[in-house]
Amino acid sequence: MAATNSLSSRLQWRGVLCLLLLGVLGGGSHYLLGLRDIEQRLAQLHTLVEQRFVGVLAQSVWDLDQHNTQQLLESINQLDGVNRVELITNLGQRQSSQLHPTAHSEWIRDFPVQSERSGNQPLASLRLHLGQQELLQQLRLRSLLFAASLMAAMLLMLLLCRHFMQRHLLRPLEQLVGQLHKEQPLPLADGERELSLLGKQLQRYRQGWQQQLQQQQQRGNELQKQREQLSELASQRTTELDQLTRSQQLLAKLSHSFLRLPPAEQRDAIADALARIGHLLGVDRCYLLLLDERQALQQHISWQNAQLPPDGGFYLQAPLQHSPWMLPQLRQQAQLTISRLEEIPPDGHGERLLLAEHGIRGLVLIALDHAAPLHGIFGCEVVNRQHDWLDKELTLLRLFAELLSGLLLRHQQLQLHEALTQQLAAANAKLQAQSHCDGLTGLASVSRLQQDKQPLFEQAFLRQQALSALMLDIDQFAAYNSHAGHLAGDDCLLRIAQLLQAQLATHPGLAVRIKGATMLLLLPQHDAAQAAAVAEQLRQAVAALQLPHPASRVSSFVSVSVGCATLDLRRHDDIDDLIGEAAHALRQAKAQGRNRCVSAAVAT
């Protein structure tokens, strides 16, 4: 047990030294902190007195309340560091409080006592006698008590530690050393021998532990690598999921917007969509090629990365219609994917050189239809870098190509619909024009008369202008048809219609074929005399044609009878009354022997 006692005594002496040192340090620290606290309290005393007591003290002095004033002075005297308090009024009266008569004062501070009622003139002066001797004595006593209590606590702890070490450390240590040497413990003069032997044994154990730690560290590194791989895989899957989500949103948005856009705005929309696809997939160029029936480039819409030089791409220079390998592959597989130029077979040697010349390292081309002559190609390119096309990227490109294919089909349908609409409108216009025009003579039809007669009447009525109607009929035209034939009759009608149209060149109006050989001429701004003159000119012009009419009992040539009527609002309620009066005048001309002009005024 000598070794144990030796080691225990050393620990005891060292514990006593630590105990003394801890007591000195604890008491000194407590004393220094107390000094600092005293200085702070004395420094803050001035502010404390001004804030808490000066205002109330001024009120008591003003009110001449001696009792309250004395209580306030005693309250101030109770502050730490205040040995004596004096209140000196302007009249020289003194009132003081001294709770510690034996205390020695080191500083004296004066405070002016004034209130709002006295203005800037102070009522009295508050004098404080300050000193820290008593505070220092109290501080020393507290520091000694603190050091003593700390040392007592540490002594108790040291005794407990000594008992614990004797029972749980030194004796088991002696037994452990004996067990390590396979012999009974021997009393030793030096207490460090057991520790040395134990240290050597522990060194062997430590080496074994280090080997185990290295093995565990290797396994931990492997686990860390696996965790990093799993984290990278999870990050990659998260990125792919985010890209897939954005791809679905982009396709849905493009599909919805394309259906609502008019054809004139679809090119800009496709260019914007190509840019979105390019940014989403991180490629350098996207384009849409439209081919004609000879497989030549007809139109292209493209987008490329702003960092690339302004190169339109190989497809603007490549003779697609003479492609020995690319177009046949597209026709056969509907999709061509190139991740490396070395994948191109010898059949596409020229195209491989062309791609390398433009710096293209990766390429995807998708046919927009499966017809023998391709009508459109959608493509993406990667320039000056390698890129392995992923299945999700190819799927997205195929979906976008299908969207473009549907858009082009819709565009073609819209163009066809627009062309058919234009053709239908032209046919309707032609049909409408034909319905308003007599097919044989070129004069206006009865439907045109029904459309235009009321505006002519309203214009004459509102503007108080003249309006005349001339009803013309070819004399004995049925006999002319029977004798000369219908072709000659049609020619006769056409030549007389030309005379009416010639009259419209100098006398604006409306010439209408009513039926058979009866024609109507409406002449705005023509009174009765002017209308009669035009009727006579027409009759003479027909006679001047000298069309033989052997079957006529009126003349040996074709002649006409004309009835004239001029608008009179007293007798004509509408234009139909005017036309009816012209027809009545025509019947009068026929009754009078034909080949003449009769005006309604004369007839009546």
Side-chain angles (χ1 to χ4, degrees):
M1 294 299 294
T4 303
N5 294 333
S6 176
L7 182 60
S8 175
S9 62
R10 292 185 180 183
L11 291 176
Q12 290 176 5
W13 280 110
R14 292 175 183 176
V16 170
L17 291 177
C18 291
L19 180 65
L20 294 175
L21 181 61
L22 182 62
V24 173
L25 291 177
S29 299
H30 186 273
Y31 184 77
L32 292 177
L33 292 175
L35 285 178
R36 184 177 178 182
D37 182 63
I38 290 173
E39 292 176 357
Q40 291 179 353
R41 283 189 291 174
L42 291 177
Q44 296 175 356
L45 184 62
H46 184 275
T47 304
L48 179 62
V49 170
E50 284 187 345
Q51 291 179 352
R52 293 179 54 183
F53 295 101
V54 171
V56 181
L57 188 60
Q59 183 66 32
S60 298
V61 173
W62 179 266
D63 295 337
L64 300 178
D65 190 351
Q66 296 292 331
H67 178 71
N68 191 27
T69 301
Q70 185 64 32
Q71 288 182 351
L72 289 174
L73 294 178
E74 292 176 357
S75 298
I76 296 173
N77 202 178
Q78 291 177 0
L79 297 176
D80 293 337
V82 179
N83 297 331
R84 183 181 178 187
V85 181
E86 288 184 327
L87 179 67
I88 305 173
T89 64
N90 293 336
L91 301 178
Q93 297 176 355
R94 292 177 178 270
Q95 190 172 353
S96 63
S97 174
Q98 186 173 5
L99 301 180
H100 309 285
T102 60
H104 175 69
S105 299
E106 300 175 2
W107 301 285
I108 297 176
R109 292 184 182 178
D110 293 332
F111 298 89
V113 178
Q114 59 186 15
S115 65
E116 296 179 354
R117 300 179 180 179
S118 63
N120 297 328
Q121 184 66 29
L123 299 174
S125 176
L126 179 64
R127 178 170 297 174
L128 302 182
H129 297 265
L130 307 177
Q132 61 179 4
Q133 181 177 3
E134 185 177 353
L135 295 177
L136 291 176
Q137 292 177 358
Q138 295 177 2
L139 176 61
R140 289 197 222 34
L141 180 59
R142 288 197 302 269
S143 299
L144 290 175
L145 291 176
F146 178 77
S149 60
L150 183 62
M151 293 175 64
M154 290 301 299
L155 179 60
L156 178 61
M157 185 178 296
L158 183 63
L159 293 175
L160 293 176
C161 290
R162 180 179 179 279
H163 176 72
F164 179 81
M165 291 177 62
Q166 285 285 351
R167 184 175 180 180
H168 298 285
L169 179 60
L170 296 177
R171 291 177 183 174
L173 178 62
E174 189 178 54
Q175 296 174 2
L176 178 60
V177 172
Q179 291 177 2
L180 290 175
H181 291 279
K182 303 297 183 180
E183 59 184 8
Q184 296 295 326
L186 299 175
L188 298 174
D190 188 2
E192 293 183 352
R193 184 177 178 182
E194 296 88 345
L195 296 179
S196 176
L197 295 175
L198 183 61
K200 293 179 180 179
Q201 189 67 22
L202 292 178
Q203 183 68 23
R204 291 194 293 268
Y205 290 156
R206 182 182 299 173
Q207 292 177 356
W209 294 340
Q210 289 179 351
Q211 293 178 358
Q212 294 180 359
L213 287 175
Q214 290 178 356
Q215 295 176 358
Q216 292 179 356
Q217 186 175 4
Q218 291 178 357
R219 290 195 294 268
N221 292 335
E222 293 177 357
L223 291 175
Q224 181 66 24
K225 291 181 180 179
Q226 294 177 359
R227 284 195 295 267
E228 291 177 355
Q229 293 176 355
L230 290 175
S231 177
E232 183 179 358
L233 182 61
S235 176
Q236 183 179 0
R237 291 292 183 267
T238 303
T239 304
E240 292 178 356
L241 180 60
D242 179 66
Q243 189 178 33
L244 179 60
T245 302
R246 290 188 291 124
S247 302
Q248 293 176 347
Q249 293 175 353
L250 175 60
L251 288 173
K253 183 178 180 180
L254 294 178
S255 177
H256 181 68
S257 61
F258 281 163
L259 292 176
R260 299 176 58 186
L261 285 176
E265 300 179 7
Q266 289 179 354
R267 179 182 178 87
D268 294 337
I270 292 176
D272 180 68
L274 292 175
R276 292 170 181 257
I277 290 293
H279 288 301
L280 181 63
L281 297 182
V283 298
D284 297 316
R285 188 179 289 117
C286 291
Y287 47 82
L288 173 65
L289 308 180
L290 300 180
L291 310 180
D292 58 13
E293 296 180 354
R294 298 176 300 162
Q295 303 295 276
L297 182 61
Q298 181 181 16
Q299 184 182 3
H300 78 281
I301 305 174
S302 63
W303 166 87
Q304 72 173 14
N305 192 341
Q307 298 178 355
L308 296 179
D311 183 6
F314 83 99
Y315 53 85
L316 295 181
Q317 304 176 10
L320 295 177
Q321 65 272 30
H322 300 128
S323 174
W325 177 75
M326 187 177 296
L327 289 186
Q329 290 292 324
L330 279 177
R331 295 191 190 100
Q332 181 179 0
Q333 302 178 7
Q335 177 177 324
L336 179 61
T337 304
I338 300 175
S339 298
R340 291 171 177 79
L341 298 184
E342 293 77 11
E343 300 174 357
I344 302 178
D347 295 342
H349 177 70
E351 291 155 315
R352 180 171 66 246
L353 294 179
L354 188 60
L355 293 173
E357 180 182 353
H358 288 80
I360 299 173
R361 296 294 180 264
L363 176 69
V364 173
L365 297 178
I366 302 176
L368 298 186
D369 48 24
H370 301 284
L374 295 176
H375 296 293
I377 300 175
F378 168 64
C380 289
E381 297 175 356
V382 177
V383 182
N384 297 328
R385 58 188 175 90
Q386 292 297 129
H387 182 78
D388 294 327
W389 299 100
L390 302 178
D391 292 339
K392 62 182 183 62
E393 295 177 338
L394 298 177
T395 301
L396 175 62
L397 292 177
R398 284 193 296 269
L399 291 174
F400 188 67
E402 292 177 0
L403 180 63
L404 290 179
S405 178
L407 177 63
L408 293 177
L409 178 60
R410 177 177 174 269
H411 183 63
Q412 293 175 358
Q413 292 176 349
L414 289 176
Q415 287 182 337
L416 179 60
H417 180 267
E418 184 177 357
L420 293 176
T421 302
Q422 292 178 355
Q423 293 177 3
L424 180 60
N428 289 332
K430 184 177 180 181
L431 182 61
Q432 186 176 8
Q434 290 176 353
S435 66
H436 291 169
C437 181
D438 183 66
L440 175 62
T441 62
L443 299 179
S445 63
V446 176
S447 62
R448 174 71 180 278
L449 174 64
Q450 297 296 330
Q451 176 180 333
D452 293 349
K453 65 181 182 178
Q454 188 62 27
L456 290 175
F457 176 79
E458 292 176 355
Q459 180 180 1
F461 175 77
L462 295 175
R463 297 182 181 180
Q464 296 297 310
Q465 295 176 349
L467 176 62
S468 297
L470 278 63
M471 187 74 74
L472 179 146
D473 188 67
I474 302 175
D475 294 333
Q476 297 181 344
F477 183 71
Y480 182 84
N481 267 339
S482 299
H483 184 271
H486 289 284
L487 292 178
D490 292 343
D491 182 68
C492 177
L493 289 172
L494 180 59
R495 298 184 68 177
I496 293 176
Q498 292 174 352
L499 293 177
L500 266 67
Q501 292 175 344
Q503 287 294 330
L504 293 179
T506 55
H507 304 280
L510 178 65
V512 184
R513 182 186 179 192
I514 302 299
K515 62 178 180 179
T518 305
M519 303 175 189
L520 174 66
L521 184 61
L522 293 177
L523 299 174
Q525 302 182 13
H526 282 63
D527 56 16
Q530 293 172 333
V534 172
E536 183 61 26
Q537 290 176 4
L538 284 172
R539 190 190 66 80
Q540 293 178 4
V542 172
L545 293 175
Q546 293 187 352
L547 299 175
H549 191 349
S552 175
R553 296 190 298 270
V554 179
S555 172
S556 56
F557 300 101
V558 173
S559 62
V560 294
S561 298
V562 183
C564 303
T566 300
L567 181 62
D568 185 356
L569 297 178
R570 295 172 296 179
R571 296 182 290 109
H572 303 144
D573 294 332
D574 53 29
I575 197 169
D576 290 333
D577 293 340
L578 177 62
I579 296 173
E581 193 170 86
H584 179 72
L586 174 61
R587 290 192 294 271
Q588 292 291 328
K590 290 181 179 181
Q592 294 177 10
R594 291 186 172 86
N595 194 16
R596 67 189 66 241
C597 300
V598 175
S599 297
V602 177
T604 57

